[in-house]
Every structure is written in C-alpha cells, then in structure tokens.
Amino acid sequence: KQGLLTDRQKEVLRYRKKGLTQQQIADIIKTSKANVCTIEKAALENIARARDTLEFLYTQIGRAHV
C-alpha cells in the first residue's frame, strides 16, 4: 500500500524546504519545471485532503464521546 505521498513528492518537498526553486529541483531530478510544479501541487493537495480527513474524524469522534 502506498503512503500519503509518493517518493518523488517527498523528494520535491524536501528540496523546497531547503529553499530550492522549482527550476533548481527540475535540474537536479532531471525533469521540467512544469513537472516539478505538478508534483508539488499534487503533494500539497494530498496533504490538504489528509488534514481535512483528520479534522472530520476528530470532529466525529469528539461528538461520539459527548
């Protein structure tokens, strides 16, 4: 089973955290800047969906225990 993020998404986010631009990352991983943008966008969307899911679950669990 695959996790929340692909290995490539994690790699791109690690480079971004280090302050690299999308073009710099593209050069390092041998792809286009547009592809790095797509990878980063998908990663951030996955993270947002996970946050929304956790918020929903915590809200529902909290109500169930009241």
Side-chain angles (χ1 to χ4, degrees):
K1 184 177 176 183
Q2 184 174 335
L4 175 66
L5 300 173
T6 66
D7 289 341
R8 184 64 103 185
Q9 289 171 339
K10 290 180 211 175
E11 180 181 23
V12 166
L13 292 179
R14 280 189 205 104
Y15 282 130
R16 292 294 275 166
K17 185 176 179 182
K18 291 180 181 180
L20 276 67
T21 66
Q22 289 179 340
Q23 185 59 60
Q24 290 170 321
I25 297 167
D27 293 341
I28 292 168
I29 66 173
K30 309 263 191 278
T31 191
S32 68
K33 179 182 172 186
N35 193 39
V36 171
C37 181
T38 300
I39 293 166
E40 184 175 0
K41 181 179 177 188
L44 296 175
E45 288 172 353
N46 288 349
I47 292 167
R49 276 195 299 276
R51 272 195 197 121
D52 290 346
T53 300
L54 287 173
E55 183 179 329
F56 172 79
L57 290 173
Y58 288 141
T59 301
Q60 297 308 307
I61 291 169
R63 288 183 185 161
H65 290 92
V66 174

